Amino acid sequence: MRTFSDNTAAWRGMLRPRTSGSAPAVAPEPGPRPAARFPAALLPWAWAAGLFALYATVSVRRHLLIRTTGYDLGIFEQAVRAYAQLRPPVVPLRGEDFNLLGDHFHPAIAVLAPLYRIWPGPLTLLLAQAALLAVAVVPLAGWAAEVLGRRAAHAVALVYGLSWGIASAVAFDFHEVALAVPLVSAAVTALGRRRWRAAVLWAAPLVLVKEDLGLTLAAVGAYLVWKGPRRLGLLTAAAGIAASAVEIRLLLPAFNPAGGYAHGENLGEGAHGSLLTTIAFAPLDALRPDIKAMTLVLVFAPSALLALRSPLALLALPTLAWRMLSQNAFHWGTSFHYSAVLMPIVTAGLIDALRHWRTTGPATIGPGSGARSPAARHIRASLVTALAVTAVMLPSFPLAQLAQRATWRTGEHVAAAREVLARIPDGATVAATNRLVPQLTSRTEVVLFPSFPVHARLYEYARDRLPRPTAEWIVHDRHAPPAWPYHAGHWPYPPEQQTAELERAQRVYGYRKVAERDGITLLRMGPPRPPGAHG
């Protein structure tokens, strides 16, 4: 009788490969199947998930370390909070009874109201922004995988995801342009794929995100006139120009308490004295001072300047034009959120420029003969260069904060701030310094201390006639920590004036000190003093 071990040995002998020419008695069983490749359709979404985790970590840690600001996170939270309560977006931080639709025309941020209703707080806005910026990689990586190959798609996702324009937006509060980034990404890739109607449909909502983005819609229309159906292009261009004109000339002044366009002076006559002279000097003014030329180069640097070879790069012109011609120096550099909408355009331009090299031969980046073709070698070298540029620029921009020890350390000052702020009851009226504002906006009615702006004017620093504080509570941080992009946290007034205003609130306006810890002072309005008692 054969034992179980004998049978096992017999089966092993039958399945063992034979070296002789005779065929085996039994066909060999198939070996273990190779691991299934990651589904191509999920590759872009995997990158979106990874980038979301990266962006969310930077934003959330920044907020927990009290590095976010009232201008702008607090402003947008007050607006979204109002939308969530089915009220107009009146924002006390911008002025008494100031409707934020009179600052920039961005009704699209109301889409965040349901999320805020479920989870009220600044983290809702920061996480929503992280998701919006991350999901913009999906159409870009998908298009790159389609025309350049899977490995190239990984490189493209890194070029976009680690680009300085996105990093700068992630690390400076929340802004409405986060809603525009995935729309621009989807529109520009649709143009690259010659899906004309889809491009228009994706770009059309831009007019509800910000008043200048109607010009980007017009640029999409101009591209269609050049490369696609002319009639659709003309209609799209006309609609974009008309939308921006109506918003700037009619809607924004209607909502603004001052009755005009709050940012109109940024594009005014400037130093030339007349509008005609300003237009004549515009080409030179777009390149001076030197920071403008540097920014123009850095915008296209993540693509190793290859995006300039693609006609898709023309979609960046409207945003670059108003920024370079603005009188506001904040618009000229690489800080803040102003370049976020440009990064999908630059990345799509890179894909489009490299796509044309496929005409010289197989260009798929991967194993096989195609990887050895001249076109594939050129594409690989170009992508390596783009990645190298991205890596070189990375330490200079905020994503590098994740490698800094201070990002992961919650110091005594943060603990002191939380302890002091906890003493302010929900629903109270508060005047707080800029970095403390977003710690309070979800549960109190908060304005800036010292008061800013004055009479709803955005850039008015009337230091000699600041209005008296009227909030029940005042909380002031004498040691506001520096945080990118500011070297000091005492905006909008120097620390000496803020300290003087704090003392004045106690000496003249009857506030009394309730708590003080590690330079953070909490005052509460006391009973009115008799006339003449405060001197």
Side-chain angles (χ1 to χ4, degrees):
M1 181 180 294
R2 303 184 66 166
T3 64
F4 176 79
S5 59
D6 294 333
N7 289 330
T8 303
W11 278 105
R12 286 177 177 170
M14 295 170 67
L15 296 176
R16 185 180 297 118
R18 301 190 180 190
T19 56
S20 64
S22 60
V26 177
E29 294 181 356
R33 294 183 178 180
R37 296 184 67 188
F38 191 79
L42 295 182
L43 184 151
W45 292 100
W47 270 108
L51 292 176
F52 168 74
L54 177 67
Y55 301 158
T57 302
V58 172
S59 296
V60 170
R61 285 303 301 170
R62 189 172 181 269
H63 180 72
L64 295 179
L65 294 173
I66 312 183
R67 297 178 181 177
T68 50
T69 65
Y71 276 68
D72 295 323
L73 178 58
I75 288 176
F76 280 104
E77 185 181 358
Q78 286 185 339
V80 175
R81 181 185 180 189
Y83 281 129
Q85 297 172 354
L86 303 180
R87 297 186 290 108
V90 173
V91 174
L93 280 165
R94 278 291 281 113
E96 187 176 359
D97 297 325
F98 191 98
N99 190 317
L100 200 61
L101 291 176
D103 183 22
H104 287 298
F105 191 74
H106 40 48
I109 64 173
V111 301
L112 300 179
L115 293 176
Y116 192 89
R117 188 77 178 233
I118 297 171
W119 186 27
L123 293 183
T124 299
L125 273 64
L126 295 177
L127 293 176
Q129 175 172 264
L132 289 165
L133 296 177
V135 79
V137 79
V138 172
L140 295 168
W143 187 30
E146 177 184 315
V147 299
L148 300 176
R150 292 167 62 95
R151 294 186 183 179
H154 293 303
V156 166
L158 282 170
V159 167
Y160 166 80
L162 302 183
S163 61
W164 64 265
I166 298 298
S168 297
V170 166
F172 184 56
D173 297 0
F174 171 90
H175 296 90
E176 73 283 277
V177 296
L179 294 163
V181 174
L183 294 174
V184 170
S185 178
V188 72
T189 52
L191 289 177
R193 288 168 161 157
R194 302 180 68 84
R195 298 175 181 173
W196 311 123
R197 291 176 181 247
V200 173
L201 291 175
W202 282 114
L206 291 174
V207 301
L208 301 178
V209 177
K210 198 162 175 273
E211 65 275 5
D212 66 280
L213 290 174
L215 300 180
T216 300
L217 175 62
V220 171
Y223 188 94
L224 292 179
V225 172
W226 182 20
K227 297 285 188 177
R230 179 169 298 181
R231 183 175 180 180
L232 178 60
L234 290 173
L235 291 174
T236 302
I241 294 173
S244 286
V246 168
E247 291 167 4
I248 292 173
R249 301 290 296 178
L250 298 178
L251 298 181
L252 285 164
F255 287 111
N256 191 300
Y261 178 36
H263 303 271
E265 59 189 25
N266 291 335
L267 298 174
E269 298 172 356
H272 299 298
S274 70
L275 181 60
L276 185 61
T277 308
T278 299
I279 295 174
F281 279 90
L284 290 176
D285 289 340
L287 297 175
R288 58 187 184 187
D290 293 343
I291 187 175
K292 294 182 179 181
M294 181 188 72
T295 298
L296 289 173
V297 173
L298 290 180
V299 162
F300 294 97
S303 70
L305 303 184
L306 290 173
L308 292 171
R309 300 186 56 162
S310 168
L312 293 174
L314 295 175
L315 271 66
L317 282 180
T319 298
L320 289 174
W322 74 254
R323 286 179 58 190
M324 297 301 107
L325 296 177
S326 171
Q327 305 299 314
N328 185 349
F330 286 152
H331 296 156
W332 303 341
T334 56
S335 300
F336 309 107
H337 55 287
Y338 301 113
S339 298
V341 295
L342 300 176
M343 294 300 103
I345 298 173
V346 171
T347 308
L350 171 65
I351 300 169
D352 190 46
L354 295 180
R355 177 182 60 165
H356 293 295
W357 283 85
R358 291 174 63 93
T359 59
T360 63
T364 300
I365 309 299
S369 60
R372 296 189 294 270
S373 72
R377 288 197 299 269
H378 175 82
I379 293 174
R380 183 186 297 108
S382 299
L383 290 173
V384 168
T385 303
L387 289 172
V389 172
T390 300
V392 167
M393 298 176 68
L394 194 59
S396 300
F397 290 93
L399 293 183
Q401 293 175 3
L402 292 179
Q404 298 173 1
R405 184 177 300 176
T407 301
W408 305 102
R409 179 183 299 168
T410 302
E412 295 182 1
H413 188 75
V414 174
R418 291 175 181 169
E419 179 180 318
V420 172
L421 294 176
R423 302 188 64 168
I424 301 174
D426 293 353
T429 58
V430 187
T433 46
N434 192 33
R435 294 206 186 282
L436 296 179
V437 165
Q439 307 294 322
L440 295 164
T441 40
S442 63
R443 63 183 187 89
T444 67
E445 294 297 329
V446 60
V447 297
L448 199 66
F449 178 85
S451 297
F452 175 87
V454 179
H455 302 308
R457 293 184 61 83
L458 186 59
Y459 298 112
E460 182 172 345
Y461 293 79
R463 297 177 180 176
D464 57 339
R465 53 185 178 89
L466 292 178
R468 64 172 296 166
T470 59
E472 181 183 0
W473 299 82
I474 293 176
V475 58
H476 176 267
D477 189 354
R478 183 176 287 106
H479 306 306
W484 190 94
Y486 296 113
H487 297 296
H490 295 94
W491 184 91
Y493 302 108
E496 306 81 32
Q497 183 176 6
Q498 296 204 27
T499 301
E501 291 296 325
L502 189 70
E503 295 174 352
R504 187 178 180 211
Q506 299 174 78
R507 187 181 70 254
V508 178
Y509 299 125
Y511 285 84
R512 56 184 176 82
K513 186 180 298 185
V514 175
E516 185 171 19
R517 182 179 172 188
D518 200 25
I520 301 172
T521 304
L522 179 64
L523 307 180
R524 185 174 185 180
M525 181 179 291
R529 297 186 180 183
H534 54 268

Short mmCIF file of all heavy atoms in Angstrom, two decimals, residues 34-86:
data_model
loop_
_atom_site.label_atom_id
_atom_site.label_comp_id
_atom_site.label_asym_id
_atom_site.label_seq_id
_atom_site.Cartn_x
_atom_site.Cartn_y
_atom_site.Cartn_z
N PRO A 34 1.82 36.41 -11.91
CA PRO A 34 2.49 37.65 -11.53
C PRO A 34 1.49 38.64 -10.93
O PRO A 34 0.31 38.63 -11.26
CB PRO A 34 3.05 38.19 -12.87
CG PRO A 34 2.21 37.53 -13.91
CD PRO A 34 1.83 36.20 -13.36
N ALA A 35 2.00 39.47 -10.03
CA ALA A 35 1.13 40.45 -9.37
C ALA A 35 0.45 41.34 -10.41
O ALA A 35 1.08 41.80 -11.36
CB ALA A 35 1.94 41.31 -8.40
N ALA A 36 -0.82 41.53 -10.22
CA ALA A 36 -1.57 42.36 -11.17
C ALA A 36 -1.07 43.79 -11.13
O ALA A 36 -0.76 44.34 -10.07
CB ALA A 36 -3.06 42.32 -10.82
N ARG A 37 -0.95 44.42 -12.27
CA ARG A 37 -0.51 45.80 -12.34
C ARG A 37 -1.58 46.70 -11.74
O ARG A 37 -2.77 46.41 -11.81
CB ARG A 37 -0.24 46.20 -13.79
CG ARG A 37 0.90 45.42 -14.43
CD ARG A 37 1.15 45.95 -15.83
NE ARG A 37 1.66 47.31 -15.79
CZ ARG A 37 1.82 48.07 -16.89
NH1 ARG A 37 1.49 47.59 -18.07
NH2 ARG A 37 2.30 49.28 -16.78
N PHE A 38 -1.12 47.79 -11.18
CA PHE A 38 -2.06 48.76 -10.61
C PHE A 38 -2.96 49.27 -11.71
O PHE A 38 -2.49 49.68 -12.77
CB PHE A 38 -1.27 49.92 -9.98
CG PHE A 38 -2.12 50.82 -9.14
CD1 PHE A 38 -2.47 50.45 -7.85
CD2 PHE A 38 -2.57 52.03 -9.63
CE1 PHE A 38 -3.24 51.28 -7.06
CE2 PHE A 38 -3.35 52.87 -8.86
CZ PHE A 38 -3.68 52.49 -7.57
N PRO A 39 -4.28 49.22 -11.53
CA PRO A 39 -5.19 49.63 -12.61
C PRO A 39 -4.88 51.04 -13.09
O PRO A 39 -4.73 51.97 -12.28
CB PRO A 39 -6.56 49.55 -11.94
CG PRO A 39 -6.39 48.59 -10.82
CD PRO A 39 -4.99 48.78 -10.34
N ALA A 40 -4.77 51.20 -14.38
CA ALA A 40 -4.40 52.50 -14.95
C ALA A 40 -5.39 53.59 -14.57
O ALA A 40 -5.02 54.74 -14.34
CB ALA A 40 -4.28 52.39 -16.47
N ALA A 41 -6.66 53.24 -14.48
CA ALA A 41 -7.68 54.24 -14.17
C ALA A 41 -7.54 54.78 -12.75
O ALA A 41 -7.98 55.89 -12.45
CB ALA A 41 -9.07 53.65 -14.37
N LEU A 42 -6.92 53.99 -11.87
CA LEU A 42 -6.77 54.41 -10.47
C LEU A 42 -5.49 55.17 -10.21
O LEU A 42 -5.34 55.78 -9.15
CB LEU A 42 -6.83 53.18 -9.55
CG LEU A 42 -8.15 52.42 -9.51
CD1 LEU A 42 -8.06 51.27 -8.51
CD2 LEU A 42 -9.30 53.35 -9.13
N LEU A 43 -4.55 55.13 -11.16
CA LEU A 43 -3.26 55.79 -10.95
C LEU A 43 -3.42 57.29 -10.62
O LEU A 43 -2.85 57.77 -9.64
CB LEU A 43 -2.36 55.59 -12.16
CG LEU A 43 -0.94 56.12 -12.11
CD1 LEU A 43 -0.03 55.27 -12.99
CD2 LEU A 43 -0.85 57.57 -12.60
N PRO A 44 -4.18 58.05 -11.40
CA PRO A 44 -4.33 59.48 -11.06
C PRO A 44 -4.98 59.70 -9.71
O PRO A 44 -4.61 60.63 -8.98
CB PRO A 44 -5.20 60.02 -12.20
CG PRO A 44 -5.04 59.06 -13.32
CD PRO A 44 -4.88 57.73 -12.67
N TRP A 45 -5.94 58.85 -9.36
CA TRP A 45 -6.62 59.02 -8.07
C TRP A 45 -5.71 58.65 -6.92
O TRP A 45 -5.83 59.22 -5.81
CB TRP A 45 -7.90 58.19 -8.05
CG TRP A 45 -8.93 58.73 -9.00
CD1 TRP A 45 -9.23 58.26 -10.25
CD2 TRP A 45 -9.75 59.88 -8.79
NE1 TRP A 45 -10.20 59.03 -10.82
CE2 TRP A 45 -10.55 60.04 -9.95
CE3 TRP A 45 -9.91 60.77 -7.74
CZ2 TRP A 45 -11.47 61.06 -10.09
CZ3 TRP A 45 -10.84 61.80 -7.86
CH2 TRP A 45 -11.61 61.94 -9.02
N ALA A 46 -4.82 57.69 -7.13
CA ALA A 46 -3.84 57.37 -6.09
C ALA A 46 -2.94 58.57 -5.82
O ALA A 46 -2.61 58.88 -4.67
CB ALA A 46 -3.01 56.15 -6.51
N TRP A 47 -2.54 59.25 -6.89
CA TRP A 47 -1.73 60.46 -6.71
C TRP A 47 -2.53 61.54 -6.01
O TRP A 47 -2.00 62.27 -5.15
CB TRP A 47 -1.22 60.95 -8.06
CG TRP A 47 0.09 60.36 -8.42
CD1 TRP A 47 0.35 59.41 -9.37
CD2 TRP A 47 1.35 60.65 -7.81
NE1 TRP A 47 1.68 59.10 -9.39
CE2 TRP A 47 2.32 59.84 -8.45
CE3 TRP A 47 1.74 61.49 -6.79
CZ2 TRP A 47 3.67 59.88 -8.08
CZ3 TRP A 47 3.08 61.54 -6.42
CH2 TRP A 47 4.03 60.74 -7.06
N ALA A 48 -3.79 61.67 -6.35
CA ALA A 48 -4.63 62.66 -5.68
C ALA A 48 -4.72 62.38 -4.18
O ALA A 48 -4.64 63.31 -3.36
CB ALA A 48 -6.02 62.69 -6.30
N ALA A 49 -4.87 61.11 -3.82
CA ALA A 49 -4.94 60.76 -2.40
C ALA A 49 -3.64 61.08 -1.68
O ALA A 49 -3.65 61.62 -0.57
CB ALA A 49 -5.28 59.27 -2.26
N GLY A 50 -2.52 60.77 -2.32
CA GLY A 50 -1.23 61.07 -1.70
C GLY A 50 -0.99 62.56 -1.54
O GLY A 50 -0.51 63.03 -0.50
N LEU A 51 -1.32 63.32 -2.57
CA LEU A 51 -1.13 64.77 -2.49
C LEU A 51 -2.07 65.39 -1.47
O LEU A 51 -1.70 66.35 -0.78
CB LEU A 51 -1.33 65.39 -3.87
CG LEU A 51 -0.27 65.04 -4.91
CD1 LEU A 51 -0.63 65.65 -6.26
CD2 LEU A 51 1.12 65.51 -4.47
N PHE A 52 -3.29 64.86 -1.38
CA PHE A 52 -4.21 65.37 -0.36
C PHE A 52 -3.62 65.20 1.03
O PHE A 52 -3.67 66.11 1.87
CB PHE A 52 -5.55 64.67 -0.46
CG PHE A 52 -6.44 64.94 0.73
CD1 PHE A 52 -7.07 66.17 0.87
CD2 PHE A 52 -6.62 63.98 1.72
CE1 PHE A 52 -7.88 66.42 1.98
CE2 PHE A 52 -7.43 64.22 2.81
CZ PHE A 52 -8.06 65.46 2.95
N ALA A 53 -3.06 64.03 1.30
CA ALA A 53 -2.45 63.79 2.61
C ALA A 53 -1.31 64.78 2.86
O ALA A 53 -1.16 65.30 3.97
CB ALA A 53 -1.96 62.35 2.69
N LEU A 54 -0.51 65.03 1.83
CA LEU A 54 0.61 65.97 1.96
C LEU A 54 0.11 67.38 2.24
O LEU A 54 0.55 68.04 3.20
CB LEU A 54 1.43 65.95 0.68
CG LEU A 54 2.62 66.92 0.60
CD1 LEU A 54 3.69 66.53 1.62
CD2 LEU A 54 3.20 66.93 -0.82
N TYR A 55 -0.81 67.86 1.42
CA TYR A 55 -1.32 69.23 1.58
C TYR A 55 -2.06 69.39 2.90
O TYR A 55 -1.92 70.42 3.58
CB TYR A 55 -2.25 69.58 0.43
CG TYR A 55 -1.64 69.50 -0.95
CD1 TYR A 55 -2.46 69.34 -2.08
CD2 TYR A 55 -0.27 69.55 -1.15
CE1 TYR A 55 -1.92 69.27 -3.35
CE2 TYR A 55 0.28 69.46 -2.42
CZ TYR A 55 -0.55 69.32 -3.52
OH TYR A 55 -0.02 69.24 -4.77
N ALA A 56 -2.87 68.41 3.25
CA ALA A 56 -3.64 68.50 4.49
C ALA A 56 -2.72 68.56 5.70
O ALA A 56 -2.98 69.30 6.66
CB ALA A 56 -4.61 67.32 4.60
N THR A 57 -1.65 67.79 5.67
CA THR A 57 -0.71 67.80 6.78
C THR A 57 -0.08 69.17 6.97
O THR A 57 0.01 69.69 8.08
CB THR A 57 0.38 66.74 6.57
OG1 THR A 57 -0.23 65.45 6.43
CG2 THR A 57 1.35 66.71 7.74
N VAL A 58 0.36 69.77 5.87
CA VAL A 58 0.96 71.10 5.95
C VAL A 58 -0.05 72.11 6.48
O VAL A 58 0.25 72.89 7.41
CB VAL A 58 1.48 71.54 4.57
CG1 VAL A 58 1.93 73.00 4.60
CG2 VAL A 58 2.63 70.65 4.12
N SER A 59 -1.26 72.11 5.93
CA SER A 59 -2.26 73.11 6.32
C SER A 59 -2.71 72.93 7.76
O SER A 59 -2.81 73.91 8.51
CB SER A 59 -3.47 73.01 5.39
OG SER A 59 -3.13 73.32 4.07
N VAL A 60 -2.98 71.70 8.15
CA VAL A 60 -3.50 71.45 9.50
C VAL A 60 -2.43 71.77 10.55
O VAL A 60 -2.72 72.41 11.57
CB VAL A 60 -4.00 70.01 9.63
CG1 VAL A 60 -4.32 69.67 11.09
CG2 VAL A 60 -5.23 69.81 8.76
N ARG A 61 -1.20 71.33 10.32
CA ARG A 61 -0.14 71.63 11.28
C ARG A 61 0.06 73.14 11.39
O ARG A 61 0.28 73.66 12.48
CB ARG A 61 1.16 70.96 10.87
CG ARG A 61 1.22 69.48 11.11
CD ARG A 61 0.97 69.14 12.58
NE ARG A 61 1.94 69.76 13.48
CZ ARG A 61 1.83 69.78 14.81
NH1 ARG A 61 0.76 69.24 15.38
NH2 ARG A 61 2.75 70.34 15.55
N ARG A 62 -0.02 73.82 10.29
CA ARG A 62 0.14 75.27 10.32
C ARG A 62 -0.94 75.91 11.19
O ARG A 62 -0.67 76.83 11.97
CB ARG A 62 0.10 75.82 8.88
CG ARG A 62 0.45 77.27 8.74
CD ARG A 62 0.57 77.63 7.27
NE ARG A 62 0.95 79.02 7.11
CZ ARG A 62 0.10 80.03 6.99
NH1 ARG A 62 -1.20 79.78 7.01
NH2 ARG A 62 0.51 81.26 6.86
N HIS A 63 -2.16 75.44 11.06
CA HIS A 63 -3.24 76.01 11.86
C HIS A 63 -3.07 75.65 13.34
O HIS A 63 -3.28 76.50 14.22
CB HIS A 63 -4.59 75.52 11.36
CG HIS A 63 -5.74 76.06 12.14
ND1 HIS A 63 -6.15 77.38 12.05
CD2 HIS A 63 -6.57 75.47 13.04
CE1 HIS A 63 -7.17 77.58 12.86
NE2 HIS A 63 -7.45 76.44 13.48
N LEU A 64 -2.72 74.42 13.62
CA LEU A 64 -2.56 74.01 15.01
C LEU A 64 -1.43 74.75 15.71
O LEU A 64 -1.45 74.91 16.93
CB LEU A 64 -2.32 72.50 15.09
CG LEU A 64 -3.49 71.61 14.62
CD1 LEU A 64 -3.11 70.15 14.71
CD2 LEU A 64 -4.75 71.90 15.42
N LEU A 65 -0.46 75.21 14.93
CA LEU A 65 0.65 75.98 15.49
C LEU A 65 0.38 77.48 15.51
O LEU A 65 1.28 78.28 15.75
CB LEU A 65 1.93 75.70 14.70
CG LEU A 65 2.47 74.27 14.81
CD1 LEU A 65 3.64 74.06 13.86
CD2 LEU A 65 2.88 73.95 16.24
N ILE A 66 -0.86 77.87 15.23
CA ILE A 66 -1.30 79.27 15.24
C ILE A 66 -0.49 80.09 14.24
O ILE A 66 0.01 81.18 14.53
CB ILE A 66 -1.24 79.88 16.66
CG1 ILE A 66 -1.89 78.92 17.65
CG2 ILE A 66 -1.94 81.21 16.72
CD1 ILE A 66 -1.95 79.45 19.06
N ARG A 67 -0.34 79.55 13.04
CA ARG A 67 0.32 80.27 11.96
C ARG A 67 -0.63 80.71 10.86
O ARG A 67 -0.22 81.38 9.92
CB ARG A 67 1.43 79.39 11.35
CG ARG A 67 2.54 79.05 12.34
CD ARG A 67 3.58 78.14 11.72
NE ARG A 67 4.64 77.81 12.68
CZ ARG A 67 5.64 76.99 12.43
NH1 ARG A 67 5.72 76.38 11.23
NH2 ARG A 67 6.57 76.75 13.33
N THR A 68 -1.90 80.31 10.96
CA THR A 68 -2.89 80.83 10.03
C THR A 68 -3.31 82.22 10.47
O THR A 68 -2.99 82.66 11.57
CB THR A 68 -4.11 79.90 9.97
OG1 THR A 68 -4.56 79.63 11.31
CG2 THR A 68 -3.75 78.58 9.29
N THR A 69 -4.03 82.93 9.62
CA THR A 69 -4.31 84.34 9.88
C THR A 69 -5.78 84.67 9.68
O THR A 69 -6.52 83.94 9.00
CB THR A 69 -3.47 85.22 8.93
OG1 THR A 69 -3.89 85.00 7.58
CG2 THR A 69 -1.99 84.92 9.05
N GLY A 70 -6.16 85.79 10.29
CA GLY A 70 -7.51 86.30 10.06
C GLY A 70 -7.68 86.77 8.63
O GLY A 70 -8.73 86.59 8.01
N TYR A 71 -6.62 87.41 8.12
CA TYR A 71 -6.55 87.78 6.70
C TYR A 71 -5.63 86.78 6.02
O TYR A 71 -4.43 86.93 6.04
CB TYR A 71 -5.97 89.19 6.56
CG TYR A 71 -6.97 90.29 6.73
CD1 TYR A 71 -7.57 90.53 7.95
CD2 TYR A 71 -7.33 91.09 5.66
CE1 TYR A 71 -8.50 91.55 8.11
CE2 TYR A 71 -8.26 92.12 5.80
CZ TYR A 71 -8.83 92.34 7.03
OH TYR A 71 -9.76 93.35 7.17
N ASP A 72 -6.12 85.55 5.54
CA ASP A 72 -7.41 85.47 4.90
C ASP A 72 -8.30 84.33 5.40
O ASP A 72 -9.47 84.28 5.03
CB ASP A 72 -7.24 85.30 3.40
CG ASP A 72 -6.60 86.51 2.75
OD1 ASP A 72 -6.88 87.64 3.16
OD2 ASP A 72 -5.78 86.31 1.86
N LEU A 73 -7.77 83.40 6.18
CA LEU A 73 -8.58 82.25 6.58
C LEU A 73 -9.80 82.68 7.37
O LEU A 73 -10.91 82.18 7.14
CB LEU A 73 -7.73 81.27 7.39
CG LEU A 73 -8.47 80.03 7.92
CD1 LEU A 73 -9.09 79.23 6.79
CD2 LEU A 73 -7.51 79.16 8.74
N GLY A 74 -9.61 83.62 8.30
CA GLY A 74 -10.74 84.08 9.09
C GLY A 74 -11.82 84.71 8.25
O GLY A 74 -13.02 84.52 8.49
N ILE A 75 -11.42 85.49 7.25
CA ILE A 75 -12.38 86.15 6.36
C ILE A 75 -13.24 85.12 5.63
O ILE A 75 -14.48 85.21 5.60
CB ILE A 75 -11.64 87.06 5.36
CG1 ILE A 75 -11.11 88.30 6.08
CG2 ILE A 75 -12.55 87.45 4.20
CD1 ILE A 75 -10.27 89.20 5.20
N PHE A 76 -12.60 84.12 5.05
CA PHE A 76 -13.36 83.14 4.28
C PHE A 76 -14.20 82.25 5.19
O PHE A 76 -15.29 81.82 4.79
CB PHE A 76 -12.41 82.30 3.42
CG PHE A 76 -12.01 83.01 2.15
CD1 PHE A 76 -10.74 83.58 2.04
CD2 PHE A 76 -12.88 83.13 1.10
CE1 PHE A 76 -10.36 84.24 0.89
CE2 PHE A 76 -12.52 83.79 -0.07
CZ PHE A 76 -11.25 84.35 -0.17
N GLU A 77 -13.72 81.99 6.39
CA GLU A 77 -14.55 81.19 7.28
C GLU A 77 -15.81 81.95 7.68
O GLU A 77 -16.90 81.37 7.74
CB GLU A 77 -13.79 80.77 8.54
CG GLU A 77 -14.64 79.84 9.38
CD GLU A 77 -13.97 79.38 10.67
OE1 GLU A 77 -12.82 79.76 10.90
OE2 GLU A 77 -14.63 78.65 11.43
N GLN A 78 -15.68 83.26 7.94
CA GLN A 78 -16.88 84.04 8.26
C GLN A 78 -17.87 84.03 7.10
O GLN A 78 -19.08 83.96 7.31
CB GLN A 78 -16.48 85.46 8.63
CG GLN A 78 -15.85 85.58 10.01
CD GLN A 78 -15.58 87.02 10.41
OE1 GLN A 78 -15.50 87.92 9.56
NE2 GLN A 78 -15.44 87.26 11.71
N ALA A 79 -17.36 84.08 5.87
CA ALA A 79 -18.25 84.05 4.71
C ALA A 79 -18.94 82.71 4.57
O ALA A 79 -20.17 82.63 4.37
CB ALA A 79 -17.46 84.38 3.45
N VAL A 80 -18.18 81.62 4.67
CA VAL A 80 -18.77 80.28 4.53
C VAL A 80 -19.71 79.99 5.70
O VAL A 80 -20.76 79.35 5.52
CB VAL A 80 -17.66 79.22 4.43
CG1 VAL A 80 -18.25 77.81 4.42
CG2 VAL A 80 -16.83 79.44 3.17
N ARG A 81 -19.35 80.47 6.86
CA ARG A 81 -20.23 80.30 8.02
C ARG A 81 -21.58 80.99 7.79
O ARG A 81 -22.64 80.44 8.11
CB ARG A 81 -19.56 80.87 9.27
CG ARG A 81 -20.35 80.72 10.55
CD ARG A 81 -19.63 81.42 11.69
NE ARG A 81 -20.36 81.31 12.95
CZ ARG A 81 -20.03 81.96 14.05
NH1 ARG A 81 -18.98 82.78 14.04
NH2 ARG A 81 -20.73 81.82 15.15
N ALA A 82 -21.54 82.18 7.20
CA ALA A 82 -22.79 82.88 6.88
C ALA A 82 -23.60 82.11 5.86
O ALA A 82 -24.83 81.96 5.99
CB ALA A 82 -22.47 84.29 6.37
N TYR A 83 -22.94 81.60 4.81
CA TYR A 83 -23.65 80.79 3.82
C TYR A 83 -24.29 79.56 4.48
O TYR A 83 -25.42 79.18 4.15
CB TYR A 83 -22.70 80.34 2.72
CG TYR A 83 -22.39 81.39 1.68
CD1 TYR A 83 -21.07 81.68 1.33
CD2 TYR A 83 -23.41 82.07 1.01
CE1 TYR A 83 -20.78 82.62 0.35
CE2 TYR A 83 -23.13 83.01 0.04
CZ TYR A 83 -21.81 83.29 -0.29
OH TYR A 83 -21.52 84.23 -1.25
N ALA A 84 -23.56 78.94 5.40
CA ALA A 84 -24.08 77.74 6.06
C ALA A 84 -25.31 78.06 6.90
O ALA A 84 -26.16 77.18 7.12
CB ALA A 84 -23.00 77.11 6.94
N GLN A 85 -25.42 79.30 7.36
CA GLN A 85 -26.58 79.74 8.12
C GLN A 85 -27.63 80.42 7.24
O GLN A 85 -28.53 81.07 7.76
CB GLN A 85 -26.12 80.68 9.24
CG GLN A 85 -25.20 80.02 10.26
CD GLN A 85 -24.60 81.00 11.25
OE1 GLN A 85 -24.77 82.22 11.12
NE2 GLN A 85 -23.89 80.48 12.24
N LEU A 86 -27.46 80.27 5.92
CA LEU A 86 -28.40 80.81 4.94
C LEU A 86 -28.50 82.34 5.05
O LEU A 86 -29.57 82.92 4.90
CB LEU A 86 -29.78 80.16 5.09
CG LEU A 86 -29.81 78.63 4.97
CD1 LEU A 86 -31.23 78.12 5.14
CD2 LEU A 86 -29.22 78.18 3.65
#
